[in-house]
Amino acid sequence: MTEHVNPEFFKAFDHYKAMRIQYGEHHPITEQALMLTMHYTPEHIKEEMHQKAKELNLLPPVSGYTDDGEPMYCLEDIAKHFGISFEEAEQQLLKMMDNRQKVGLSNDGVLIDSNINFNRVQ
């Protein structure tokens, strides 16, 4: 079965590849282009990417879940998984949120209200 792919995905991906060649992988413009590419990536591809990232240990383990079953990650756990300081992880998170905002993407759900019920994995 062929899955539908939004044409915006191909435009965003082509733009990302061009920006990577022109500016390099870690340039803010390239990172913003990657954000847009990921935004338009079809869900079936995102799921494959997620599974492969888990296999390669590129994702930290889930820190806990909301009462609705949504997986949650603590910045402390992310920092520990990647062997970086909490401050570095925080700076990377703020940079990611800034890039998302610059390309018009919402940051809703990136940070949660400290009053939300968070059920920590034991």
Side-chain angles (χ1 to χ4, degrees):
M1 178 171 155
T2 304
E3 303 270 354
H4 171 73
V5 177
N6 183 335
E8 291 297 318
F9 166 71
F10 296 109
K11 286 173 37 181
F13 190 45
D14 287 344
H15 177 68
Y16 164 71
K17 291 185 289 186
M19 294 304 96
R20 187 170 181 198
I21 290 167
Q22 184 172 349
Y23 296 109
E25 185 175 354
H26 299 290
H27 191 278
I29 291 173
T30 307
E31 291 173 352
Q32 291 165 16
L34 179 60
M35 288 288 167
L36 278 177
T37 301
M38 292 305 297
H39 175 73
Y40 289 114
T41 299
E43 289 303 317
H44 68 279
I45 295 174
K46 286 181 185 177
E47 182 56 34
E48 286 181 40
M49 292 169 65
H50 181 79
Q51 290 304 319
K52 191 61 168 178
K54 281 174 62 174
E55 286 174 29
L56 298 173
N57 199 31
L58 299 176
L59 297 174
V62 172
S63 301
Y65 295 89
T66 65
D67 287 341
D68 295 334
E70 288 295 317
M72 304 297 291
Y73 299 87
C74 288
L75 202 51
E76 295 90 351
D77 294 343
I78 294 169
K80 183 179 176 184
H81 179 79
F82 290 110
I84 60 176
S85 69
F86 175 84
E87 292 76 15
E88 186 177 348
E90 183 177 45
Q91 287 303 314
Q92 290 296 322
L93 174 63
L94 293 173
K95 181 178 171 185
M96 179 200 73
M97 291 175 69
D98 184 53
N99 281 332
R100 288 181 59 82
Q101 185 177 30
K102 284 180 179 172
V103 297
L105 299 177
S106 171
N107 282 318
D108 290 350
V110 174
L111 297 176
I112 60 164
D113 183 331
S114 59
N115 294 326
I116 195 166
N117 194 19
F118 179 79
N119 305 295
R120 195 103 161 104
V121 172
Q122 300 297 315

